Amino acid sequence: MISFHSITKIYLSDVIALENISFNISQKEFVSIVGRSGSGKTTLLKLLLREERPTEGSIFFEGENLLEAGNKSLSEIRRRIGVVFQDYKLLDDKTAYENIAYAMEITGKSPEEINSEVPEILEIIELTDRANNFPKELSEGECQRISIARAIAHRPDVILADEPTGNLDPYCSQDIVRLLLKIYELGTTIVLATHDKNIVNKLKKRVITLENGKIIRDQEKGKFVL
């Protein structure tokens, strides 16, 4: 589904963010990308979204070369990818329900579809009773669940989660990972970038370990080892 072929990313200051990276991610796989801060995790995700371009190498999504994709094709690919950030990126002047609905509006969903599907999504993330609350009225863990809800609102094939538990306490972190596993079990590919050792070790899923921009380990049922 996702293929990185000999990817190298060098920034203008001659900083090598990624060096000769190659790996494949299959459909309906759960993969953790781990490493210390600065190891290249976020750069890797940005390349997959084509927010940045590699210095060398190729990236394929379902057989299509991302680096050669035109604007229309790239837009269609991005619609198949949901993104969860560390800092939530919610709209403060909209309720939980409205934040999810807005994400659906911009992907072209009809009012009827929105009215039907938002309650279903709120049920998946277990926040039906908080639908009319604004972000400032929600806990950080609840805000992150709304962020995940927005990411799955257009039913993507892949979720990219970039340090989604970085601002959360251990209890809320486990709650978020449990939700990601639930989404994975519903058939969505999950790519989780994290430096949370406890989460990775409990998942017992595939782990790709980055160090200084290189893959030093790729294990099917891996652990956080640095």
Side-chain angles (χ1 to χ4, degrees):
M1 183 179 200
I2 297 168
S3 298
F4 276 60
H5 294 282
S6 304
I7 289 294
T8 294
K9 175 64 178 179
I10 303 173
Y11 288 101
L12 293 177
S13 54
D14 292 331
V15 173
I16 300 176
L18 294 170
E19 184 175 358
N20 197 29
I21 296 289
S22 295
F23 65 88
N24 298 316
I25 295 176
S26 300
Q27 191 172 14
K28 299 181 181 179
E29 190 172 11
F30 194 122
V31 181
S32 296
I33 310 292
V34 308
R36 298 183 178 89
S37 295
S39 61
K41 302 187 299 297
T42 297
T43 298
L44 189 150
L45 298 186
K46 286 182 176 180
L47 290 173
L48 181 53
L49 290 167
R50 216 181 84 175
E51 291 179 356
E52 296 189 12
R53 288 178 173 269
T55 307
E56 298 176 4
S58 301
I59 303 168
F60 293 86
F61 185 90
E62 293 282 37
E64 184 165 1
N65 191 333
L66 282 179
L67 306 183
E68 297 176 356
N71 290 337
K72 182 179 179 181
S73 181
L74 182 60
S75 178
E76 291 174 353
I77 289 171
R78 285 174 172 167
R79 286 177 182 270
R80 299 176 65 186
I81 301 173
V83 186
V84 180
F85 301 96
Q86 180 176 338
D87 58 354
Y88 321 140
K89 298 188 183 298
L90 300 181
L91 300 171
D92 292 334
D93 61 343
K94 293 185 182 294
T95 64
Y97 186 105
E98 291 167 341
N99 263 280
I100 301 168
Y102 180 74
M104 298 176 74
E105 284 175 22
I106 62 178
T107 61
K109 292 278 188 177
S110 69
E112 293 76 19
E113 288 174 309
I114 291 170
N115 290 334
S116 172
E117 294 177 17
V118 171
E120 294 176 0
I121 294 169
L122 283 165
E123 188 172 347
I124 290 172
I125 65 169
E126 300 173 7
L127 281 182
T128 299
D129 61 336
R130 306 292 266 166
N132 296 318
N133 289 93
F134 292 92
K136 66 180 181 181
E137 299 170 329
L138 302 172
S139 69
E140 290 188 336
E142 289 170 335
C143 284
Q144 189 58 290
R145 279 195 268 169
I146 296 299
S147 176
I148 292 172
R150 293 200 314 176
I152 67 172
H154 60 288
R155 304 187 185 281
D157 298 315
V158 181
I159 291 289
L160 305 182
D162 190 6
E163 300 285 3
T165 63
N167 293 330
L168 306 178
D169 61 41
Y171 176 81
C172 288
S173 294
Q174 291 300 323
D175 196 36
I176 292 303
V177 172
R178 181 177 60 82
L179 178 55
L180 289 174
L181 280 169
K182 184 177 182 179
I183 295 166
Y184 159 72
E185 288 164 1
L186 291 172
T188 305
T189 303
I190 304 290
V191 182
L192 169 65
T194 183
H195 60 262
D196 192 318
K197 179 178 180 179
N198 292 329
I199 285 174
V200 172
N201 290 345
K202 287 181 179 178
L203 279 170
K204 297 181 181 178
K205 301 290 186 184
R206 181 181 174 194
V207 178
I208 296 175
T209 305
L210 294 175
E211 188 171 279
N212 298 323
K214 299 179 181 179
I215 293 178
I216 62 169
R217 196 175 295 105
D218 186 345
Q219 298 173 303
E220 179 122 2
K221 292 186 178 179
K223 291 187 175 181
F224 193 109
V225 181
L226 281 173

